[in-house]
Amino acid sequence: MSKRKVKESGGANGECISQVQKVLRERFCHHYATGKLFGIEHQYRHLLDLLKRTTVHGESNSALIIGSRGSGKTALLNHVLKELKEMKQVRENLLEVRLNGLLQTNDKVALKEITRQLNLENVVGDKVFGSFAENLAFLLEALRKGNRTSSCPVLFILDEFDLFVHHKNQTLLYNLFDISQSAQTPVTVIGLTCRQDILELLEKRVKSRFSHRQIYLMNSFDFKQYIRIFKEQLALPAEFPDESFAQKWNNNVQHLSEDKTVQDVLQNLFHYTKDLRSLHLLLMLAVSNVTVHHPLITASDLHEASKQYRVDSRANIVHEFQKFVQRKAHCMYNFEKPVVMKAFEHLIQLELVRPIERPNIRAQREYLLMKLLLDNTQIMDALQAYPNCPVDVKQWAASSLSWL
Amino acid sequence: LHKLEHLSLCISSRVRQHFSFPSIFIYGHTSSGKTYVMQTLLSTLQLPHVFVNCMECFTSRLLLEEILTQLQSCSPETEQTSQVPCDTFNDFVRLFKQAVATQELRDQTLYIVLDRAEQLREMEANILPAFLRLQELTDRNVTVVLLSEIVWELFRPNTGCFEPFTLYFPDYSIGHLQKILSQNHPPEYSADFYSAYINILLGVFYMVCRDLKELQHLAALNFSKYCEPVARGEANERDSRKLWKNIEPHLKKAMQTVYLREISSSQWEHLQHDDGEPGQLKGLSAHTHVELPYYSKFLLIAAYLASYNPVRTDKRFFLKHHGKIRKTNFMKKHEKTSNHLLGPKPFPLDRLLAILYSIVDNRVAPTANIFSQITSLVTLQLLSTVGHNDQLDGPRYKCTVSLDFIRAVAR
């Protein structure tokens, strides 16, 4: 009887675990789309207000959302758009054009992409335009509705805005901002960037057409809020099918957030970087340990995950350094010069050593001055941790590096 | 081996329908098993994947087209794969979305594995950050895995990017190496015999070289020599002392060319058979010996002397009646850096000729012959010119050969 009961709950658990993994992974990996927002209500309202004015009242606007990597710019925008689209008027009218600086590396490509996203490829056909401005004006003209008094509001979203700034003459930006200043079609241009000095990069004529409206996203939460975010991120939602398991899970999460080791781990991560992406990474590692036999996350899981996450990469690679320091007379083996050269080349390939200037054909390879890209402490740490290190290499390193 | 697989299993989704982290960066030394583990993992779990080596596809266009072509073979519907032209990353995203539209690929996570990812940095600047964000840009279930030897800090672009999950593959320990190498034993001999041989080999080479590929190469080369006594019937498989005495000098010889692979394995075996005693190891480096005419040899030696001796010592070495050279403070401070470590110094033509006259026994006339020999030495790249072509003070040269070469020439 009891065996059967265990098997039943075991079977339920397998399905359950899979569900848990699904929910949490989606939350951590796709957080640009569905993540919850923390602490940016003010900016949220500002942006919402701005977009409402464009779509409902027909005003043209431009804004820049500035925040460091992982501070939630795209997530914020997506949330605002989602809320906007609940209004019927917006849903039917608003046209969205999403451009990304990484993909559209050129103004021509950008223009083609705009044409494609507005579904105006048939209209443009094989027309040849004299300039960028003409083309863009033609596109927007084509968007006017039948009665020719108003046209659909267009929303241009430029991701990685700082890459658009490097195009030739900044024509795309100039034209977009120009249109947003002239009153013909309601156009809003929203740029998202991680550079704080973006305004310096804009040309004078582009800057003057920009409305200088900047929305800053700074991760301004403190550690207590950070722990609360941690709890919320791990908690299973109320719609989870297996309620008892969800209850157990959420209780466990509550326990974890009060546990001292977990708080230490979170504190370390918080001091290192505040953004939520790294928190997600850590939680992802911990969640991947969840199996049927191990259904709840424990503090040790989190501890291990944090150790794995913060591994010092250079110190590991420097282990290899030992092989290549056999030149001195301390070593027992005498190596031929070509072997040592090849080993040295390998070091260059690993980029632990870099030549100070580009090697030209005239100078010989052996006499090229090199720079070591490692710290003495890193070398010493690596030596300690290297398995089976020859004793004389250790002594040599200790003697020559110790006086520094 | 198994621990590495287990680690990767934790990261990649065991259950296919779930999302996986958008980008993973795996780094470790050469032959620490990154490519091998990735490939076996993907093929055993039968996850849909695309495997591309960035050394082969060294431009962005080649890389993107290769990925799209392999994608076609991933989905079971298309019968033949055709070349898909793809210029920019923009087109790539569009074509990628179309290619992944089939039902099969939509549910599962598609893995794009890029080997030797450090080449991505050499391509256009948008390629690396765009790949890291591919999941976001295409809005599909795809994970990009980057394999490389170089640490992540050297990859990061200036303004930052989407940070991937970094995973380190440590080197094999000596126990693991033993196990892996012992697996390749040839069928004629027993496994114990071969593992004893591997033990000896590792004992000699482990301190110096931990590269699995190199060790495999060495093991294959030297095994026939090791088996010789057994084949000849002098010793049986367990006679370790005899076998060791036989193999020891050959391993010593092999040590000298540990990384080089100067001669192919067949040549090496040929060498082993020919000479019974250890002779000179003639590899490619021996072919650099060049025959020079009489005066050219002297010119070269004179050039070497001019490059590596400071000007002050010329008077002392080359004149019959020299005075004593007083060591100044300057000399005392700088004595430590040997000229040989810093490289050759440039010298003017006159100095070269002066030294030449003093080392050649008979009188040398400054004919055009001598000067043309200097020019031919420059063409042979044994000397090199320093400075502009039309200098007012006369041409300056630098000697570009090493002391060993000079010794060989001077014989």
Side-chain angles (χ1 to χ4, degrees):
Chain A
M1 178 62 178
S2 61
K3 246 198 209 166
R4 188 154 44 105
K5 213 171 178 189
V6 164
K7 220 167 66 161
E8 258 178 21
S9 64
N13 262 346
E15 175 62 34
C16 213
I17 296 293
S18 149
Q19 281 283 10
V20 168
Q21 290 262 5
K22 181 155 182 252
V23 167
L24 288 179
R25 274 173 193 260
E26 177 160 2
R27 191 183 288 167
F28 297 150
C29 297
H30 268 207
H31 47 79
Y32 60 87
T34 57
K36 282 211 281 216
L37 302 171
F38 303 97
I40 43 180
E41 287 85 21
H42 177 68
Q43 290 95 331
Y44 183 82
R45 269 181 275 124
H46 188 175
L47 193 57
L48 186 61
D49 188 43
L50 193 71
L51 288 180
K52 258 204 196 131
R53 273 193 266 150
T54 305
T55 52
V56 176
H57 303 296
E59 265 183 36
S60 286
N61 274 318
S62 54
L64 271 183
I65 304 181
I66 305 177
S68 52
R69 296 262 173 208
S71 48
K73 307 181 284 290
T74 319
L76 172 68
L77 194 58
N78 286 335
H79 265 265
V80 169
L81 283 176
K82 205 164 66 159
E83 182 167 329
L84 261 188
K85 289 199 177 140
E86 287 169 9
M87 293 174 22
K88 184 166 179 288
Q89 186 185 10
V90 174
R91 220 179 19 241
E92 288 176 357
N93 278 352
L94 182 67
L95 290 168
E96 231 180 86
V97 175
R98 282 185 184 256
L99 300 174
N100 193 317
L102 288 176
L103 297 178
Q104 283 89 38
T105 45
N106 200 341
D107 284 336
K108 258 193 354 197
V109 178
L111 196 54
K112 271 213 300 230
E113 186 66 25
I114 295 177
T115 319
R116 201 180 297 131
Q117 289 197 15
L118 290 175
N119 295 325
L120 289 176
E121 273 161 324
N122 310 333
V123 178
V124 169
D126 283 328
K127 276 208 175 114
V128 172
F129 293 100
S131 76
F132 193 96
E134 271 182 57
N135 201 342
L136 201 54
F138 179 77
L139 287 177
L140 291 175
E141 184 70 25
L143 291 176
R144 279 175 182 271
K145 282 205 285 206
N147 57 4
R148 292 193 153 254
T149 49
S150 68
S151 73
C152 305
V154 186
L155 174 63
F156 286 95
I157 301 176
L158 281 78
D159 231 335
E160 312 276 347
F161 189 78
D162 41 295
L163 294 177
F164 282 109
V165 160
H166 294 302
H167 292 178
K168 184 162 179 278
N169 283 342
Q170 300 185 357
T171 35
L172 176 70
L173 293 181
Y174 174 71
N175 283 301
L176 284 180
F177 284 140
D178 200 28
I179 292 184
S180 76
Q181 294 284 32
S182 59
Q184 290 157 13
T185 48
V187 158
T188 300
V189 181
I190 308 246
L192 291 97
T193 176
C194 64
R195 289 185 69 153
Q196 310 273 347
D197 60 344
I198 185 72
L199 283 184
E200 319 291 327
L201 297 173
L202 291 175
E203 267 186 30
K204 193 166 82 76
R205 57 180 185 153
V206 178
K207 198 150 94 166
S208 61
R209 284 172 173 75
F210 173 54
S211 71
H212 283 75
R213 196 178 275 116
Q214 291 151 51
I215 303 178
Y216 285 97
L217 290 180
M218 294 174 285
N219 288 330
S220 52
F221 39 81
D222 62 356
F223 188 58
K224 278 223 245 336
Q225 287 172 319
Y226 194 68
I227 296 194
R228 219 165 26 116
I229 294 173
F230 163 74
K231 266 200 302 203
E232 278 180 44
Q233 289 286 320
L234 266 188
L236 290 175
E239 307 88 50
F240 195 70
D242 189 349
E243 286 212 15
S244 63
F245 186 75
Q247 190 69 16
K248 259 198 302 187
W249 178 274
N250 290 341
N251 282 342
N252 183 40
V253 171
Q254 179 69 27
H255 264 175
L256 278 178
S257 66
E258 287 154 12
D259 186 32
K260 193 70 180 56
T261 20
V262 173
Q263 287 200 351
D264 277 339
V265 164
L266 289 178
Q267 180 88 288
N268 271 339
L269 191 59
F270 186 69
H271 285 317
Y272 183 59
T273 163
K274 261 191 189 180
D275 66 5
L276 292 182
R277 267 197 203 142
S278 29
L279 181 63
H280 285 158
L281 197 46
L282 183 72
L283 294 178
M284 175 84 173
L285 277 174
V287 161
S288 52
N289 279 338
V290 170
T291 65
V292 178
H293 300 292
H294 185 95
L296 300 170
I297 299 184
T298 61
S300 57
D301 274 338
L302 281 168
H303 193 64
E304 243 185 63
S306 84
K307 265 204 304 217
Q308 203 173 9
Y309 176 65
R310 298 278 303 278
V311 145
D312 186 8
S313 45
R314 282 288 181 81
N316 287 326
I317 294 290
V318 167
H319 287 179
E320 199 67 6
F321 189 67
Q322 307 326 308
K323 267 197 255 159
F324 308 133
V325 273
Q326 309 274 7
R327 228 184 241 225
K328 289 281 178 153
H330 292 284
C331 74
M332 293 184 300
Y333 305 102
N334 281 327
F335 287 103
E336 298 284 303
K337 192 155 177 222
V339 179
V340 182
M341 271 305 291
K342 183 104 189 261
F344 193 67
E345 274 179 316
H346 196 195
L347 257 190
I348 295 179
Q349 194 196 7
L350 280 181
E351 300 202 0
L352 289 175
V353 172
R354 197 195 306 169
I356 290 187
E357 63 225 2
R358 300 241 88 208
N360 52 351
I361 329 166
R362 302 261 188 91
Q364 285 167 285
R365 248 175 348 153
E366 290 135 340
Y367 294 116
L368 209 50
L369 288 175
M370 298 274 180
K371 194 164 64 150
L372 183 62
L373 292 177
L374 296 171
D375 211 1
N376 283 330
T377 45
Q378 281 177 316
I379 297 181
M380 288 312 293
D381 285 337
L383 265 182
Q384 304 295 341
Y386 194 53
N388 302 354
C389 187
V391 176
D392 37 17
V393 175
K394 265 196 187 147
Q395 284 176 342
W396 174 47
S399 62
S400 45
L401 294 178
S402 59
W403 60 275
L404 283 164
Chain B
L1 295 157
H2 295 294
K3 73 166 162 46
L4 297 174
E5 287 212 29
H6 177 67
L7 210 57
S8 315
L9 267 177
C10 289
I11 305 309
S12 66
S13 46
R14 276 164 298 175
V15 193
R16 296 178 216 176
Q17 287 85 359
H18 296 177
F19 290 108
S20 172
F21 207 72
S23 48
I24 303 178
F25 179 74
I26 301 182
Y27 69 101
H29 276 302
T30 39
S31 2
S32 51
K34 310 182 285 289
T35 320
Y36 174 70
V37 169
M38 236 18 251
Q39 277 178 327
T40 37
L41 197 63
L42 291 171
S43 50
T44 22
L45 294 177
Q46 292 186 331
L47 300 166
H49 65 277
V50 170
F51 200 92
V52 181
N53 194 329
C54 293
M55 281 293 198
E56 288 174 6
C57 308
F58 51 91
T59 64
S60 60
R61 192 194 168 118
L62 284 172
L63 180 65
L64 299 174
E65 285 185 5
E66 177 69 25
I67 296 179
L68 288 171
T69 321
Q70 284 196 22
L71 261 183
Q72 285 181 333
S73 51
C74 252
S75 64
E77 292 165 2
T78 52
E79 294 94 38
Q80 68 215 145
T81 55
S82 55
Q83 194 74 359
V84 183
C86 174
D87 239 340
T88 60
F89 211 90
N90 201 18
D91 292 335
F92 174 71
V93 167
R94 208 166 31 98
L95 293 166
F96 185 82
K97 283 202 248 201
Q98 284 174 4
V100 192
T102 65
Q103 185 60 33
E104 274 245 353
L105 292 176
R106 218 178 318 166
D107 287 340
Q108 304 179 31
T109 315
L110 175 71
Y111 289 89
I112 299 183
V113 184
L114 300 173
D115 209 352
R116 304 291 222 122
E118 58 262 17
Q119 293 299 107
L120 285 177
R121 300 179 297 175
E122 316 291 330
M123 302 183 195
E124 284 105 12
N126 66 331
I127 298 283
L128 180 62
F131 266 120
L132 292 171
R133 282 184 177 268
L134 196 61
Q135 199 181 73
E136 188 181 327
L137 292 174
T138 55
D139 206 15
R140 299 279 186 276
N141 206 355
V142 58
T143 296
V144 177
V145 181
L146 302 169
L147 303 175
S148 172
E149 283 182 8
I150 302 182
V151 300
W152 173 246
E153 275 79 20
L154 294 169
F155 271 78
R156 200 181 280 140
N158 280 338
T159 51
C161 61
F162 188 90
E163 297 282 326
F165 171 68
T166 42
L167 186 59
Y168 174 64
F169 267 38
D171 283 335
Y172 292 119
S173 70
I174 191 165
H176 283 154
L177 279 174
Q178 172 104 13
K179 258 195 271 184
I180 300 171
L181 288 170
S182 313
Q183 278 173 3
N184 308 344
H185 71 262
E188 302 94 52
Y189 296 94
S190 70
D192 288 337
F193 180 62
Y194 197 73
S195 42
Y197 163 63
I198 293 294
N199 228 343
I200 295 179
L201 191 74
L202 277 180
V204 173
F205 285 108
Y206 184 67
M207 290 246 273
V208 183
C209 170
R210 294 191 188 190
D211 197 351
L212 181 62
K213 283 194 254 213
E214 288 290 336
L215 288 173
Q216 274 177 338
H217 182 72
L218 286 169
L221 283 185
N222 292 312
F223 187 58
S224 54
K225 196 66 194 172
Y226 185 74
C227 305
E228 251 186 30
V230 179
R232 283 197 296 235
E234 288 175 353
N236 64 359
E237 291 192 355
R238 294 189 177 280
D239 231 342
S240 43
R241 243 189 79 225
K242 256 203 193 145
L243 292 168
W244 164 247
K245 266 190 5 196
N246 183 41
I247 195 70
E248 186 190 356
H250 295 279
L251 285 183
K252 262 218 186 95
K253 247 201 300 183
M255 180 77 98
Q256 297 190 336
T257 55
V258 117
Y259 271 121
L260 289 183
R261 301 218 194 172
E262 272 186 349
I263 52 185
S264 68
S265 35
S266 53
Q267 273 181 309
W268 174 262
E269 281 168 22
H270 202 60
L271 255 182
Q272 304 277 43
H273 286 306
D274 281 345
D275 40 311
E277 72 280 350
Q280 263 286 6
L281 202 61
K282 275 196 284 190
L284 285 170
S285 41
H287 294 301
T288 54
H289 184 69
V290 163
E291 277 301 322
L292 291 173
Y294 181 75
Y295 279 128
S296 289
K297 282 197 204 171
F298 280 105
L299 273 172
L300 194 58
I301 297 174
Y304 185 80
L305 289 171
S307 279
Y308 284 101
N309 287 347
V311 185
R312 303 183 71 243
T313 55
D314 273 352
K315 196 166 142 211
R316 188 189 166 97
F317 289 145
F318 299 118
L319 289 185
K320 291 225 164 84
H321 304 285
H322 58 256
K324 292 214 183 94
I325 297 185
R326 267 166 287 149
K327 279 191 181 177
T328 57
N329 284 335
F330 184 75
M331 281 280 303
K332 279 189 198 146
K333 262 189 271 178
H334 289 258
E335 246 173 32
K336 290 211 182 123
T337 39
S338 157
N339 273 346
H340 285 269
L341 282 182
L342 285 178
K345 300 221 173 44
F347 54 85
L349 180 63
D350 303 333
R351 192 170 161 222
L352 172 67
L353 289 176
I355 297 183
L356 179 70
Y357 296 155
S358 60
I359 57 177
V360 176
D361 291 333
N362 42 355
R363 280 193 53 134
V364 181
T367 59
N369 199 3
I370 301 283
F371 291 118
S372 69
Q373 287 191 356
I374 298 180
T375 332
S376 52
L377 279 179
V378 172
T379 327
L380 281 175
Q381 293 200 337
L382 298 172
L383 287 187
S384 64
T385 45
V386 175
H388 280 307
N389 277 336
D390 49 348
Q391 251 184 348
L392 291 174
D393 292 340
R396 290 165 72 86
Y397 298 99
K398 202 156 74 153
C399 180
T400 53
V401 293
S402 62
L403 185 58
D404 302 327
F405 191 80
I406 294 289
R407 281 212 193 106
V409 164
R411 229 171 271 139

